[in-house]
Amino acid sequence: MDRLNGPPRLMIVSDLDFTMVDHEDPENLSLLRFNALWEAYYRHDSLLVYSTGRSPTIYKQLRNEKPLLTPDITIMSVGTEIAYGEPMVPDYDWEQHLNLNWDRDIITQETANSAEDRAQTRIVYELFKDRHLPSGTEQRPHKVSFFLEKPNSLEVIKALSESLEKHKLDVKIIYSHGTALDVLPKGADKGQALAYLQRKFKANGRVPLSSLVCGDSGNDAELFTVPDVYGVMVGNAQEELLQWCAENARNNPNIIHSTERCASGIIQAIGKFSIGPNVSPRDIKDWGKCRVNVLSPGYEVVKFYLLYERWRRAEVEKSDQILQNLKSSFYPLGTFVHPSGTEQPMSKCKDMMERLYGDKQGKQYCIWLDRVSTSQIGSDAWLVKFDKWESTGMICLIFTLYNPTSFSL
């Protein structure tokens, strides 16, 4: 929030697996579409929040595997952990709040007892007899997790609830993806974590002008109960979430089921609710015919690198006109600045770029930008900082740009 001068124009709160990230899309096309849209139009005045069932450990693994943008806030472990920014600074007030009437030791002991007590239902015994726990990274201070097959889920949840109620603990049980059973403090889930953040925003006078929540499974349901938000169940949403919505939000016009999968469904919802631009720069094939009413150095940098990607993949004609389009946005005497401090004149970069035409032809080569930030450093110049990722690594660069009002959009 510190990087914004006022209330966010838009806050997107999205689940990751099979919502933002499509694991059936090996080229990550929908995610890359979203990335370009966010960095071109929203990063400078909006908030990106990930809300995932993953623990910090496997969330970081996913970021190493997929082209995920850096969020402003990360809600993890089914709403039991909140962290801020790139360094992921924990919210200790939220942790203290969840400690009320929560005893993790009793919960783990009770599940162990269920395995040993043959008087319990056979189904509970089947669940716990082998301590069928996910890996240790997924057992968190305020989350106890198990694998559970769907055919037995209702009976197991009922028996476990009755068992834990005897200890007068304030807990809730969430079942999602047809396999994951999570025991959490009663005051914790993705929705209550978001409501907590909204209270903080209100206290600081920074309530987002619009908020969009996005999910695909049962552990996302509580996101859709938060007041004053738009919601999208992505096109591949699971039956458990669709049924919850049918029972609890049937007449809510602010919640939709998109026809597009994953991140493409999020883009679709932005347009459906008219809360901002929803044409990803990746979807623009002919920049010469495109007239986008945006005066933004961030937009120009995203556009430049999309053209550069197509140039190297030989998906555009090798012509002086294309080269001129690639060069037109930037100050002729400007420089690239590498994180190491190495500077390279724009003129040298242009020569190198011409030589690289088609060197990635036929390859799954892509470029995406992250954390695009801008500052005006003169009456006709801007400084743009960002992380530039390729399919083979990351480079952080700094551009000096003309005043955007002089850009040929």
Side-chain angles (χ1 to χ4, degrees):
M1 291 294 291
D2 291 342
R3 67 180 180 80
L4 303 182
N5 295 324
R9 173 166 59 113
L10 173 64
M11 178 171 67
I12 286 185
V13 183
S14 178
D15 174 53
L16 292 179
D17 295 291
F18 291 104
T19 301
M20 184 65 74
V21 176
D22 189 348
H23 293 284
E24 296 181 9
D25 177 11
E27 296 185 40
N28 302 301
L29 298 179
S30 65
L31 183 54
L32 291 169
R33 290 180 64 227
F34 176 85
N35 290 358
L37 179 75
W38 187 260
E39 297 299 333
Y41 300 122
Y42 293 102
R43 173 69 77 173
H44 66 287
D45 65 358
S46 298
L47 288 180
L48 180 60
V49 181
Y50 293 152
S51 183
T52 178
R54 288 176 175 251
S55 70
T57 299
I58 63 171
Y59 160 68
K60 292 175 182 177
Q61 289 176 359
L62 184 65
R63 290 205 62 190
N64 288 331
E65 297 165 359
K66 295 291 184 178
L68 281 167
L69 298 179
T70 301
D72 297 284
I73 304 172
T74 314
I75 300 170
M76 295 164 288
S77 303
V78 199
T80 62
E81 299 180 66
I82 299 175
Y84 300 95
E86 174 74 11
M88 297 182 65
V89 178
D91 189 319
Y92 294 109
D93 289 340
W94 179 242
E95 293 179 8
Q96 291 301 313
H97 169 72
L98 297 184
N99 282 334
L100 298 175
N101 212 19
W102 167 260
D103 193 319
R104 193 180 192 286
D105 291 339
I106 289 179
I107 294 170
T108 53
Q109 183 61 47
E110 189 63 25
T111 54
N113 290 342
S114 295
E116 298 166 1
D117 186 357
R118 298 303 182 91
Q120 295 284 336
T121 67
R122 178 173 178 77
I123 292 175
V124 173
Y125 173 69
E126 292 285 347
L127 174 65
F128 297 117
K129 65 180 179 180
D130 296 321
R131 298 306 306 277
H132 196 128
L133 294 166
S135 64
T137 64
E138 298 312 285
Q139 305 304 328
R140 307 298 295 172
H142 297 97
K143 181 173 78 77
V144 182
S145 299
F146 303 91
F147 291 123
L148 172 62
E149 295 299 327
K150 190 171 184 178
N152 298 329
S153 59
L154 293 178
E155 295 92 335
V156 169
I157 291 170
K158 182 176 182 295
L160 182 58
S161 296
E162 293 172 352
S163 176
L164 293 176
E165 281 176 7
K166 296 176 183 178
H167 294 276
K168 302 186 184 302
L169 298 177
D170 288 336
V171 301
K172 68 172 57 176
I173 298 173
I174 296 178
Y175 185 60
S176 58
H177 293 287
T179 56
L181 182 73
D182 297 307
V183 184
L184 315 174
K186 190 172 184 180
D189 56 48
K190 292 183 176 184
Q192 294 196 67
L194 176 56
Y196 167 82
L197 289 173
Q198 286 188 324
R199 292 192 294 272
K200 293 186 73 171
F201 296 154
K202 186 175 183 179
N204 293 321
R206 298 286 187 90
V207 176
L209 302 183
S210 298
S211 296
L212 173 65
V213 301
C214 320
D216 79 299
S217 73
N219 70 14
D220 301 314
E222 297 297 332
L223 287 173
F224 297 92
T225 68
V226 177
D228 303 319
V229 301
Y230 297 104
V232 57
M233 299 177 291
V234 291
N236 53 292
Q238 297 188 25
E239 183 60 33
E240 63 203 32
L241 181 59
L242 297 177
Q243 175 150 355
W244 177 92
C245 188
E247 294 171 356
N248 297 278
R250 180 189 299 273
N251 298 317
N252 187 344
N254 290 336
I255 298 178
I256 65 169
H257 182 199
S258 71
T259 59
E260 300 284 345
R261 289 179 59 88
C262 300
S264 293
I266 298 173
I267 295 173
Q268 184 182 41
I270 292 173
K272 174 69 175 180
F273 294 123
S274 301
I275 51 181
N278 75 317
V279 177
S280 171
R282 277 197 171 270
D283 296 332
I284 299 173
K285 301 305 180 185
D286 189 341
W287 293 99
K289 296 180 180 179
C290 177
R291 293 292 179 266
V292 178
N293 187 26
V294 173
L295 299 177
S296 162
Y299 168 84
E300 290 298 328
V301 171
V302 170
K303 169 185 166 183
F304 168 83
Y305 271 108
L306 287 175
L307 282 169
Y308 178 63
E309 174 190 289
R310 294 169 189 173
W311 175 267
R312 295 189 65 179
R313 291 170 61 162
E315 293 177 350
V316 294
E317 180 185 359
K318 186 178 183 181
S319 67
D320 291 339
Q321 182 61 47
I322 295 294
L323 268 178
Q324 185 56 39
N325 288 341
L326 284 168
K327 301 170 185 177
S328 62
S329 298
F330 302 103
Y331 184 50
L333 301 180
T335 59
F336 291 89
V337 183
H338 190 273
S340 65
T342 303
E343 297 186 10
Q344 191 173 50
M346 280 294 300
S347 57
K348 187 174 180 180
C349 295
K350 295 171 188 175
D351 294 339
M352 178 187 68
M353 184 170 60
E354 189 166 5
R355 293 195 302 270
L356 291 175
Y357 180 81
D359 71 324
K360 301 297 183 182
Q361 188 172 11
K363 300 178 181 178
Q364 290 188 356
Y365 170 76
C366 61
I367 298 174
W368 66 97
L369 305 187
D370 186 20
R371 297 197 299 171
V372 175
S373 65
T374 65
S375 57
Q376 193 164 2
I377 58 175
S379 60
D380 62 350
W382 291 76
L383 193 68
V384 184
K385 300 180 181 180
F386 54 91
D387 295 333
K388 168 184 168 284
W389 291 80
E390 299 186 7
S391 53
T392 54
M394 181 193 76
I395 303 174
C396 179
L397 299 174
I398 300 175
F399 277 113
T400 303
L401 303 180
Y402 272 131
N403 185 308
T405 57
S406 69
F407 291 163
S408 176
L409 298 179

